[in-house]
Amino acid sequence: MKRILVTGGTGFIGSHTCVELLQQGYKVVVVDNLCNSSPEVVNRIHAITNQSIEFHKVDLLDYDSLSQVFKQHKIDAVIHFAGLKAVGESTKVPLNYYHNNLTGTLTLLRVMQEYSVFNMVFSSSATVYGDKNPIPFVETFPLSSTSPYGRTKVMIEQFLQDAHASDSRWNVSLLRYFNPVGAHPSGFIGEDPNGVPNNLMPFISQVAVGRREKLQIFGDDYPTPDGTCIRDYIHVVDLSLGHIKALEKLIASTKPTVEAYNLGAGNGCSVLDVVRAFEKSSGKKINYDIAPRRDGDIAAFYADTKKSYQELDWRVERSLDDMCRDTWNWQSKNPNGY
Ligand code: NAD
Ligand code: WQD
């Protein structure tokens, strides 16, 4: 039975991936410093799976503590989620983002090298396609980014390419997520942002549950059919299953490589499409105002999913209605989060 180290495993996407890993028979070790997640997640994962993860409250910046985790458990592969992720905040405190995300990753890579663990699945993002590429985004497009957060993803992808070029044992899957939303259908785990949500779906669900008065829709004058921005929303359970496919491929491979894969639905929905679908799933009216455009938003993007379909044998199975239903199930059962 393979043992997987999941960094950031108590976070939104990490927690859902831990559930799928346990259910598919993997052993799971989690390191997280809990800067953006709750220790309650460990109990919730147990409640869903009736199995336990090995949880270590460890900061990736702490080489010695991380090294102890590798000493204690024989790790076969790492899924690396841990990082700071708020685009707007990253423009205010870029050095914190560079320190946490870049130094944290470098520390992890050094420890992995020390223990000869070379399999890694890395959480990258569609933000690495920047604002100049045509849509749909294809893995071979040139990379750039418009925020310090996004640049940490571009740089980490480059670190991993360079590591492989210097030592061909590095075997890496770079997963570029589009817009992850939704929650586990049990309602035990979901997205629980601190403070005012930056992202659309958690904002809508907090309006639905009465925690916020109304949604601001950032612009209705984009060159799209209804004037609001188009994004490629993906259910977090489909996303988690993409990690399992990537992991299986890494573990089975005889020739280590660094490969990038888009994880998205391959089509776009507008902000108004999401609002309407959420109203239908929840039976709640979502009050909104049209507000000015948000700095840095681009009109529309979605994934080309051919490579992940052909090489990972993966595609999404859950619809926008499923994403809204599961988000509402989580939010209504946990109105104040964990
Ligand atoms: P999240 O904030 O819920 O989870 C990240 C976890 O990492 C948190 O539990 C946090 O406590 C932990 N962490 C942060 N810095 C750490 C450190 N130095 N040491 C140990 N733990 C640390 O975020 P998420 O939405 O689950 O995202 C997971 C990953 O996916 C991130 O790398 C993010 O950039 C990437 N990603 C997310 C999205 C999205 O929209 N959610 C989209 C694309 C990519
Ligand atoms: C979606 C749409 C907003 C909030 C971000 C990151 C990206 C990736 C995913 C990490 C946009 C509109 C939003 C609101 C709104 N994360 N909106 N009112 O910006 O596509 O992507 O998360 O890698 O890097 O940039 O997602 O959910 O913030 O916005 O009208 O209160 O909803 O303008 O059109 P985004 P989002």
Side-chain angles (χ1 to χ4, degrees), residues 12-13 32-33 35-37 59-60 81 85 100 149 153:
F12 170 46
I13 306 168
D32 199 302
N33 66 2
C35 71
N36 198 35
S37 55
D59 194 310
L60 285 191
F81 293 104
K85 64 162 181 180
N100 190 73
Y149 162 74
K153 296 297 181 192

Side-chain angles (χ1 to χ4, degrees), residues 22-221:
L22 290 168
Q23 289 180 334
Q24 300 209 18
Y26 291 93
K27 292 195 170 171
V28 179
V29 179
V30 166
V31 296
D32 199 302
N33 66 2
L34 301 177
C35 71
N36 198 35
S37 55
S38 161
E40 171 61 14
V41 172
V42 176
N43 304 326
R44 302 291 181 96
I45 291 172
H46 188 270
I48 297 170
T49 61
N50 205 23
Q51 296 180 67
S52 298
I53 57 172
E54 296 263 2
F55 177 71
H56 298 269
K57 184 170 184 289
V58 163
D59 194 310
L60 285 191
L61 297 165
D62 178 351
Y63 185 96
D64 292 337
S65 301
L66 195 58
S67 191
Q68 282 305 314
V69 175
F70 278 75
K71 196 169 180 185
Q72 205 178 325
H73 309 278
K74 192 199 153 294
I75 303 294
D76 294 290
V78 175
I79 307 185
H80 177 33
F81 293 104
L84 300 175
K85 64 162 181 180
V87 174
E89 184 185 61
S90 80
T91 64
K92 307 253 159 39
V93 287
L95 302 186
N96 292 1
Y97 272 66
Y98 289 125
H99 183 53
N100 190 73
N101 293 5
L102 301 185
T103 313
T105 301
L106 290 173
T107 308
L108 172 64
L109 295 174
R110 283 168 53 221
V111 177
M112 287 174 68
Q113 197 168 36
E114 186 187 333
Y115 286 86
S116 296
V117 179
F118 293 102
N119 289 327
M120 172 179 274
V121 176
F122 172 61
S123 296
S124 189
S125 165
T127 191
V128 301
Y129 292 112
D131 57 359
K132 302 279 182 297
N133 282 310
I135 47 175
F137 291 160
V138 184
E139 286 87 345
T140 48
F141 281 178
L143 306 187
S144 69
S145 202
T146 54
S147 71
Y149 162 74
R151 283 187 277 278
T152 70
K153 296 297 181 192
V154 175
M155 289 180 202
I156 294 169
E157 288 203 8
Q158 189 64 58
F159 291 174
L160 292 163
Q161 298 280 4
D162 289 346
H164 175 80
S166 71
D167 180 341
S168 62
R169 288 176 296 176
W170 284 102
N171 197 17
V172 179
S173 211
L174 307 168
L175 301 184
R176 297 177 181 159
Y177 315 155
F178 280 68
N179 285 59
V181 298
H184 193 267
S186 63
F188 282 123
I189 54 173
E191 188 168 7
D192 180 23
N194 282 331
V196 182
N198 300 306
N199 298 114
L200 179 65
M201 188 68 94
F203 203 105
I204 292 178
S205 68
Q206 291 194 8
V207 172
V209 85
R211 274 172 71 180
R212 317 243 159 236
E213 195 196 330
K214 60 171 71 160
L215 170 72
Q216 308 278 313
I217 293 185
F218 300 138
D220 68 349
D221 57 353

Side-chain angles (χ1 to χ4, degrees), residues 304-320:
D304 180 305
T305 55
K306 275 196 269 326
K307 185 177 178 191
S308 40
Y309 179 51
Q310 285 167 359
E311 296 186 19
L312 297 179
D313 183 31
W314 172 90
R315 68 170 119 184
V316 300
E317 288 172 0
R318 291 159 182 82
S319 65
L320 180 61

